[in-house]
Amino acid sequence: MAGRRRIRWEALSLKLVFGLLAAIALLFLVLPTAVVLLTSLTSSQSLRFPPPGFSLRWYVALLDADQMQRAGLNSLIVAFWTTLLSSICGTAAALAIARSRSPLMRAADLLFMSPLLLPALSFGFAALIFINRLGLSPSVPLLVLGHGIVCVPFVLRTTLASLSQLDASLLEASESLGADRLTTFRRITLPLIGPGIGAGAFLAFMASFDNVPVSLFLADERTEMLPIHLWQQIETNLDVRTAAASGAIVIATLILMLLAERFAGLTRQMH
Amino acid sequence: MTASRSHRVRLDAITHRFGASTAVRDINLDIAGGELVALLGPSGCGKSTLLRIISGFIRQSEGRVLFDDSIADALSPAERGVGIVFQNYALFPHMSVGENVAYGLQAHKWSRERIAKRVAEMLDLVHMGEFAGRKPRELSGGQQQRVALARCLAIDPKVLLLDEPFGALDKNLRLDMQIEVKRLQRQSGITTILVTHDQEEALSMADRIAVMSRGRIEQISTPTGIYDTPQTLFVNEFVGTTNVLRGEFIDGSAVQLEHGVVLPVSPDKIFQQGHAVVVSIRPEQLRFQPAPSDGVFTAIITTVLPLGAQVVYDVALTGGPSLKVAEPRDAEGELREVGATVYLAPASPAACHVFPAS
Ligand SMILES: Nc1ncnc2c1ncn2[C@@H]1O[C@H](COP(=O)(O)OP(=O)(O)OP(=O)(O)O)[C@@H](O)[C@H]1O
Ligand SMILES: [Mg+2]
C-alpha cells in the first residue's frame, strides 16, 4: 500500500517537474517573441516596452530601408542555395550511411553531425582562417558553403529517420518486379523519404537564415546578412525597424511552419 | 497461361552461412514445372533464407540454383523471373492499387494501352477490379494480399514465391485466400514455392511438402506421405499430433515398451536387439478393444473432448504416460465416461512408427 502510494507521488511530482519545465521553456520562448511583436507595433519613435500606442508605421518604414532589404535579400539568397546544397548532400550522405553498417560510415555520420555539436563560432573562425590561407575573400558561394556545413546535419537526421522507417521489402519488391536501381530510387525511395528530406530542408533554411556565428566571419559589407545587420542596428541606434523586421520574420516563419505541417507533417518527420 | 509455360526449379546441395552460423545446410530439392511445394518448419529453421536464395536476394555460400536446367546463380531476382509475395505484402503505400499492379509492367517497358488492359485483367482475376483507385492503406488484409498477388502475377513470372503469405490474416479469411491462391496457381500452372510454419496450410495446399528443421530438409513427400509415413520423429511430431512411447527393440517385429506392453510393429528400419527406440502412434490410429490381451494397453479415461465429428479422449496408462485417442463420433453412440477403464491397441502394426531414441 505504502509502496504504491509512493509511486503515485513520484509519478505526480515527475509530472509537476516536467510541466513546470515546459511552462518555463514556453515562457522563455513565447514571451520574448510576443514582446518583439508588440514592440514592433509601437507608434512611438523609440524601442520601448510596453508601447505607448499601436501603429503599423515601422512596417511601412521597412519598405524604404534599403540596406536592411539588401541584407534580407542576401540572407534569402544564401539560405536558398544553402538549403539546396544541404538537401542534396544530406540526402546523399543519409542514403550512404543507412545502407552501410561499416564503422567507417558511423564515423562519417559523426563527422557530418559535428558542426551541430562544435561551437559554430569556432567553426566560423576556422573557416575564415582557412579561406584566408587559400587567398579567397568572402563571397556568396563561400557563405553558402559555410552555411551548408552547419545545415547538413538537419537534413541528415530527418532523412536518416525516414529511411529507417522505409520497409526494405518495398525495395526488394521493386527490384523483383524488374525495376533498376535508379527507377527504384526515383519511384519508391524518394517519394517515401521525401517528407523527411522536406522537413530537413525546412530546418536547414531556417538555420541558415538566422545564422550569426558563421556569417559573422564569412560575410563582409557587400554580403552583409540580415541577422548581423539587425544586430548592428540595435547596437548603434536602437532602430525600431529592427523590431518590425523581426516581427516580419516571426510571422513569415509561422506561416511557413503551418504550411509545412499541413503538407508534410513537419513534426512527424522530426523523430 | 498453360502448364507448358511451367518452369522447373532445382536446388543442388545448397548451403548458406551467416558468419559462423549455418542457416541452411546441404539442401537438394527438385521442383517440377507447375508444382506447388511447401517449405514447412518451425521458426528459424531457414525457410525464408532458402526462399531468398531461390529468389536471388541472397547468394548461397555453396551449391547451385537451377531454373530449367540452367544455372541461375549469377542472375538477379528480375532476371530469374521470380514473382514474390512478401509476408507483409510490401505494397507501395504511395501508389494506388492500379499503379501498384502497373509498376512491374512499366519497368518492363510495356506500352500504356497494354498496361491498362493487363492491370484491369489482373485485378479482375483477383476480384479487385473495383478497387483500382484505392490506396493500399484503405484495403483490408485479404484485399492487400490479392493486390500483391496481382502485382507479381502481372509480369508473368516463371516461379511464384510466397513467404508466409497468409500469416497476417484471420482464420476464415486465411482459408478463403488459400483456396483462391490454389485456384490461381492451378489455373496458371505456375511453379510455386510456399513458405509456411502452418502444417494445415502445407497439407491442404501443397503437392509436395519439404519439412525443414535446423537448416536441413528432414523429408520431402506428398502431404499424405508426410502424414502417414514420417521418416523422422521430428516430422512425425511436427505434422499432426501423435503419442510417443519409449521402449526397447526386441526383434524385427516387436517393441518392449517401458511400462510393460509388448507392441507388434513393422518398421521400415530394423534396429539392433535392445536398441532404445520411441514408438509413435497417432490418436486416430488407436482403437478401443473389448477386453485386455497381448499388445493391448489398459488405461483410465481422464478427459473427454467432444470435438464435433470426433471425440478425443485423454487416457492414463496404468503405471505409464497418458495418451490421446481420437474416435469418430456417431450421433447415437454415448460418449465414454471419465474414470472408465478402457483397453486400447494400435489399428495395425504399420500404424506404429519406430524411431531411434535420441
Ligand atoms: N541476415 C541474417 N544475418 C544473420 N543471421 C540470419 C540472417 N537472416 C537469418 N538469419 C538466421 O538464419 C536462421 C534461419 O532464418 P530464416 O529467416 O530463414 O528462418 P525462418 O525459417 O524463415 O523462420 P521464421 O518462420 O521465423 O520466419 C535463423 O537462425 C536466423 O537467425
Ligand atoms: Mg521467415
Side-chain angles (χ1 to χ4, degrees):
Chain A
M1 253 347 244
R4 183 177 303 167
R5 193 172 306 153
R6 208 177 65 217
I7 289 169
R8 216 184 286 154
W9 257 111
E10 276 171 9
L12 190 68
S13 51
L14 203 68
K15 261 190 201 161
L16 266 174
V17 169
F18 274 121
L20 211 67
L21 282 176
I24 292 172
L26 225 71
L27 211 69
F28 274 92
L29 279 174
V30 173
L31 217 58
T33 313
V35 167
V36 169
L37 276 176
L38 282 176
T39 313
S40 69
L41 292 170
T42 191
S43 54
S44 85
Q45 285 289 346
S46 60
L47 275 176
R48 201 183 322 146
F49 188 82
F54 293 103
S55 86
L56 283 174
R57 60 185 279 210
W58 296 109
Y59 282 87
V60 177
L62 279 182
L63 297 177
D64 300 325
D66 287 343
Q67 227 184 337
M68 205 179 273
Q69 279 179 11
R70 208 169 331 112
L73 193 66
N74 276 342
S75 274
L76 277 177
I77 290 171
V78 168
F80 173 80
W81 289 111
T82 299
T83 306
L84 201 69
L85 180 75
S86 47
S87 295
I88 293 170
C89 294
T91 305
L95 284 169
I97 290 167
R99 268 198 205 129
S100 154
R101 279 220 188 85
S102 85
L104 205 70
M105 278 300 160
R106 301 213 57 82
D109 187 12
L110 220 70
L111 185 73
F112 275 115
M113 290 312 289
S114 58
L116 264 196
L117 310 173
L118 289 175
L121 216 57
S122 44
F123 167 71
F125 187 45
L128 179 64
I129 294 173
F130 185 64
I131 64 165
N132 273 339
R133 286 303 293 259
L134 290 180
L136 301 169
S137 58
S139 65
V140 169
L142 277 176
L143 263 170
V144 168
L145 217 58
H147 278 204
I149 287 169
V150 294
C151 290
V152 160
F154 296 106
V155 182
L156 183 64
R157 277 275 84 80
T158 55
T159 309
L160 271 179
S162 56
L163 273 172
S164 75
Q165 302 282 317
L166 184 68
D167 185 353
S169 64
L170 293 179
L171 308 180
E172 292 189 346
S174 170
E175 189 186 340
S176 74
L177 288 167
D180 55 33
R181 289 193 143 199
L182 194 67
T183 310
T184 302
F185 178 72
R186 191 173 53 79
R187 294 202 56 195
I188 310 294
T189 310
L190 205 54
L192 291 176
I193 65 171
I197 299 173
F202 178 73
L203 294 177
F205 184 89
M206 295 318 296
S208 164
F209 191 72
D210 75 6
N211 180 291
V212 171
V214 176
S215 305
L216 208 54
F217 288 101
L218 295 187
D220 56 14
E221 316 82 67
R222 242 178 344 106
T223 56
E224 196 178 35
M225 307 291 278
L226 189 61
I228 292 172
H229 178 80
L230 292 181
W231 172 253
Q232 280 164 354
Q233 290 304 303
I234 292 180
E235 273 232 310
T236 50
N237 49 13
L238 282 177
D239 191 342
V240 189
R241 288 178 305 180
T242 55
S246 305
I249 294 170
V250 166
I251 290 162
T253 309
L254 276 177
I255 292 172
L256 266 178
M257 261 172 79
L258 286 175
L259 284 178
E261 186 65 41
R262 173 77 184 70
F263 290 109
L266 181 65
T267 42
R268 252 186 295 132
Q269 302 301 328
M270 293 199 192
H271 36 70
Chain B
M1 289 185 249
T2 58
S4 63
R5 287 225 211 141
S6 304
H7 299 269
R8 179 178 174 206
V9 177
R10 203 144 58 88
L11 304 182
D12 181 19
I14 299 278
T15 293
H16 189 73
R17 289 178 217 93
F18 289 109
S21 75
T22 307
V24 297
R25 210 184 290 259
D26 194 31
I27 300 282
N28 291 287
L29 188 58
D30 192 346
I31 302 166
E35 196 178 18
L36 195 163
V37 168
L39 301 178
L40 175 67
S43 187
C45 71
K47 306 180 296 287
S48 296
T49 304
L50 194 56
L51 201 72
R52 293 170 63 75
I53 288 170
I54 300 169
S55 63
F57 285 121
I58 300 183
R59 176 71 186 266
Q60 68 274 17
S61 316
E62 286 166 28
R64 301 178 305 166
V65 178
L66 297 104
F67 279 56
D68 291 328
D69 294 321
S70 58
I71 297 174
D73 294 338
L75 303 181
S76 72
E79 288 163 338
R80 291 180 193 203
V82 293
I84 307 168
V85 174
F86 293 83
Q87 176 159 14
N88 60 359
Y89 315 135
L91 295 177
F92 306 130
H94 56 300
M95 296 182 193
S96 71
V97 165
E99 287 165 343
N100 264 279
V101 179
Y103 187 87
L105 303 171
Q106 288 162 348
H108 281 84
K109 305 275 187 306
W110 280 36
S111 74
R112 201 174 282 247
E113 302 81 64
R114 276 183 77 208
I115 290 178
K117 205 165 142 262
R118 179 74 166 172
V119 168
E121 189 184 304
M122 293 318 294
L123 287 178
D124 280 344
L125 186 69
V126 296
H127 310 307
M128 289 293 293
E130 57 197 297
F131 297 96
R134 292 243 192 127
K135 286 279 168 66
R137 65 169 173 279
E138 299 163 343
L139 302 176
S140 73
Q143 291 169 334
Q144 290 184 24
Q145 194 188 38
R146 286 164 201 269
V147 177
L149 212 57
R151 181 179 70 180
C152 90
L153 289 177
I155 55 168
D156 207 0
K158 286 184 184 171
V159 177
L160 183 60
L161 304 177
L162 309 165
D163 192 354
E164 310 232 7
F166 312 108
L169 305 179
D170 64 43
K171 204 166 161 128
N172 282 331
L173 192 57
R174 191 181 312 174
L175 198 64
D176 287 348
M177 285 309 299
Q178 286 170 355
I179 294 169
E180 180 88 7
V181 169
K182 185 80 188 168
R183 173 181 73 84
L184 289 171
Q185 193 262 336
R186 273 285 124 81
Q187 205 173 316
S188 59
I190 186 172
T191 309
T192 302
I193 301 168
L194 166 74
V195 162
T196 180
H197 60 246
D198 178 351
Q199 42 150 323
E200 279 178 33
E201 186 168 299
L203 288 170
S204 65
M205 291 188 70
D207 297 316
R208 280 193 303 156
I209 299 174
V211 181
M212 293 182 67
S213 164
R214 296 206 235 123
R216 291 179 190 280
I217 292 185
E218 293 261 323
Q219 184 175 356
I220 308 171
S221 185
T222 60
T224 47
I226 293 280
Y227 193 83
D228 296 339
T229 54
Q231 305 277 284
T232 65
L233 184 59
F234 175 84
V235 173
N236 195 170
E237 289 191 295
F238 192 76
V239 181
T241 42
T242 192
N243 298 296
V244 176
L245 298 162
R246 315 193 140 272
E248 223 171 64
F249 209 70
I250 299 180
D251 57 40
S253 63
V255 169
Q256 167 76 56
L257 295 180
E258 264 178 5
H259 56 282
V261 172
V262 175
L263 208 60
V265 294
S266 60
D268 322 324
K269 261 186 291 179
I270 302 295
F271 300 94
Q272 258 184 339
Q273 192 169 344
H275 197 288
V277 293
V278 291
V279 179
S280 151
I281 313 166
R282 297 218 185 264
E284 69 274 15
Q285 295 292 345
L286 282 167
R287 301 279 191 270
F288 289 96
Q289 308 292 321
S293 73
D294 284 348
V296 170
F297 303 108
T298 305
I300 293 171
I301 295 181
T302 54
T303 317
V304 181
L305 299 168
L307 299 176
Q310 63 170 1
V311 192
V312 174
Y313 298 98
D314 256 336
V315 304
L317 298 184
T318 27
S322 63
L323 299 179
K324 280 195 162 44
V325 188
E327 193 183 34
R329 194 174 71 86
D330 68 77
E332 265 101 85
E334 303 249 317
L335 297 180
R336 292 164 201 279
E337 282 177 10
V338 172
T341 301
V342 291
Y343 309 103
L344 293 159
S348 71
C352 305
H353 300 290
V354 186
F355 304 104
S358 50

